[in-house]
């Protein structure tokens, strides 16, 4: 992928917003068929401009207004907020307390930095192909639950542009959910709890919930390749001590455990030293944990211990505040990340395992692809004389952004079909009366 130079960003953004941003699809999404009057007009947008100038409570009459403002303001980042009781750009004229957030998609934000205590390859804002598997597992686990456990149909997954993923659940009924219900949903989807000072962050009950069991099944498909080979989580004493810290004291102190995990004079676990890879050590640990004596009460050993470790190292870590607040802003799809230059593109759920954040188009690459198309000045002049609308409907299709817009369009098609189906149902019910 073409290297990105942040110094070029202002000029690249001008070209992107003029020629490549998929305005028609974007408006089609947030207008939701125009079924509810003023739905788009009451939506909050926020723009982050050059030098971190932050402008909230932007709102627009229609697609044309949005386009003009984006091309004029050249935002470095776009965030989407709630649908309010009044137009957000008039919020200062509304009586105190009357301006209220009424609806918004249920959103989820999963950030790689929240896994820093369990990933060994990278930390902070850095990511690599090894730790990206955490995002793959997160999408698979959360999406399955949203679809099967809650029955939500319209789920748009988007790459953040740097180190994480976002999910927008767009069903009509979901957009109307209260903050309390949103909190309940995100609580259901959360298992890893506790800050930096808490060593053991996952505690399973004896009767493991079906959601947890299904999540474990998904993790098992990735665990060996990701945790034992890629992350090598039992490579040395420092790494395996972190895992043994998750085993309850009264199990570790039992004779069978003490003998099998005894230290040698160097302070290394004798039997771990004997095994030469994380794979072998994991199998050994599972075997030792399964030999739990009957005299240990109130402790779960065997598969429970194994599952708790797997979940702590691999289960999705959600930002609860992003999901529960109706007025919480979230970065928009097709926004550009100002540090990496990567576009926040939709992720094809049929190809989650193949998604590569490093192959995502950057603003540099798609703008240069566009430049390469118009080789001669004459062609450029001729094309510039054409209408901007013709440009937009065609230009992104000539760049590596095209397949991602197609994923977005498929999502919109499904939304449209669902909406038409609901309208038909309503009209049929009215005929029955």
């Amino acid at each position: 992928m073409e290297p990105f130079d942040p110094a070029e960003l202002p000029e690249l953004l001008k070209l992107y917003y003029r020629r490549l941003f998929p305005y028609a699809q974007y408006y089609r999404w947030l207008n939701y068929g125009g079924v509810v009057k003023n739905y788009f007009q009451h939506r909050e947008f926020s723009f982050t401009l050059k030098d971190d100038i932050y402008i909230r409570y932007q709102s627009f009459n229609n697609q044309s207004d949005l386009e003009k403002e984006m091309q004029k303001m050249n935002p470095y980042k776009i965030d989407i907020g709630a649908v309010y009781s009044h137009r957000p750009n008039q919020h200062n004229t509304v009586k105190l307390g009357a301006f209220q957030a009424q609806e918004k998609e249920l959103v989820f934000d999963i950030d790689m930095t929240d896994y820093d205590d369990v990933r060994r390859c990278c930390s902070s804002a850095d990511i690599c192909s090894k730790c990206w598997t955490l995002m793959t597992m997160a999408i698979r686990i959360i999406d399955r639950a949203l679809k099967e456990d809650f029955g939500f149909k319209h789920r748009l997954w988007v790459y953040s542009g740097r180190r994480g993923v976002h999910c927008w659940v767009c069903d009509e009924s979901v957009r109307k959910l209260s903050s309390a219900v949103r909190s309940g949903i995100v609580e259901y989807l959360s298992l890893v709890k506790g800050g930096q000072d808490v060593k053991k962050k996952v505690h399973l009950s004896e009767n493991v919930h079906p959601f947890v069991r299904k999540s474990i099944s998904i993790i098992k498909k990735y665990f060996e390749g990701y945790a034992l080979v890629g992350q090598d989580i039992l490579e040395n004493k420092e790494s395996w001590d972190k895992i043994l810290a998750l085993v309850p004291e009264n199990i570790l102190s039992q004779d069978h455990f003490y003998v099998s995990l005894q230290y040698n004079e160097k302070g290394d676990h004798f039997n771990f030293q004997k095994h030469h890879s994380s794979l072998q050590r994991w199998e050994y640990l599972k075997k030792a944990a399964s030999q739990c004596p009957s005299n240990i009460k109130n402790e779960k050993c065997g598969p429970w211990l194994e599952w708790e470790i797997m979940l702590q190292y691999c289960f999705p870590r959600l930002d609860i505040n992003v999901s529960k607040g109706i007025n919480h802003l979230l970065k928009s799809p097709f926004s550009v990340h100002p540090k990496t230059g990567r576009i926040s593109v939709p992720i094809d759920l049929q190809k989650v395992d193949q998604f590569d954040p490093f192959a995502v188009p950057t603003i540099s690459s798609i703008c240069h692809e566009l430049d390469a198309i118009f080789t001669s000045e004459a062609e450029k002049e001729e094309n510039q004389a054409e209408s901007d609308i013709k440009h937009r409907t065609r230009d992104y299709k000539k760049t590596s952004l095209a397949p991602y817009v197609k994923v977005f369009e498929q999502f919109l098609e499904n939304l449209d079909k669902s909406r038409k189906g609901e309208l038909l149902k309503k009209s049929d019910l009215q005929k029955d009366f």
Side-chain angles (χ1 to χ4, degrees), residues 110 112 114-116 118-121 128-141 165 222 226 231 310 312-317:
I110 308 170
M112 196 75 86
D114 293 325
Y115 295 83
D116 277 0
V118 291
R119 59 181 182 141
R120 302 181 69 213
C121 51
C128 70
S129 57
K130 283 182 183 177
C131 55
W132 187 257
T133 307
L134 286 166
M135 293 295 122
T136 305
M137 287 189 276
I139 294 171
R140 290 224 174 274
I141 288 167
V165 292
Y222 297 92
Y226 163 71
Q231 296 291 325
M310 289 171 78
Q312 180 148 336
Y313 273 73
C314 300
F315 190 81
R317 301 182 175 202

Side-chain angles (χ1 to χ4, degrees), residues 5-15 17 50 74 76:
D5 178 2
E8 293 180 356
L9 190 58
E11 287 308 310
L12 293 171
L13 283 169
K14 280 181 190 172
L15 184 58
Y17 291 134
K50 192 180 178 186
N74 221 27
Y76 274 45

Side-chain angles (χ1 to χ4, degrees), residues 279-291:
L279 278 162
Q280 290 176 358
R281 287 169 185 151
W282 177 250
E283 287 307 312
Y284 181 78
L285 183 59
K286 285 198 297 181
K287 189 179 173 185
S290 69
Q291 296 165 4

Side-chain angles (χ1 to χ4, degrees), residues 9-24 63-64 66-75 78 334 336 343 363 366-367 370-371 374 377 379-396 399 401:
L9 190 58
E11 287 308 310
L12 293 171
L13 283 169
K14 280 181 190 172
L15 184 58
Y16 178 62
Y17 291 134
R18 190 166 67 86
R19 301 281 291 279
L20 292 163
F21 191 90
Y23 290 106
Q63 180 185 330
S64 176
L66 173 73
E67 289 181 38
K68 283 174 189 165
E69 200 62 21
M70 279 170 64
Q71 289 169 19
K72 179 180 141 194
M73 304 287 273
N74 221 27
I78 306 159
F334 298 102
V336 178
I343 314 287
I363 189 167
I366 58 172
C367 287
L370 191 61
D371 279 345
F374 304 110
E377 283 303 313
E379 276 182 305
K380 283 184 184 177
E381 283 168 23
E382 191 182 313
N383 279 284
Q384 277 165 1
E386 293 176 20
S387 75
D388 269 355
I389 292 168
K390 278 187 182 175
H391 266 319
R392 275 194 302 279
T393 54
R394 204 185 55 231
D395 284 354
Y396 74 80
T399 73
L401 191 62

Side-chain angles (χ1 to χ4, degrees), residues 257-275:
F257 228 103
Y258 180 74
V259 171
S260 60
L261 297 175
Q262 63 183 298
Y263 285 95
N264 65 13
E265 64 276 7
K266 290 182 187 171
D268 293 326
H269 282 296
F270 177 72
N271 279 296
F272 267 13
Q273 197 71 1
K274 206 166 65 174
H275 295 282

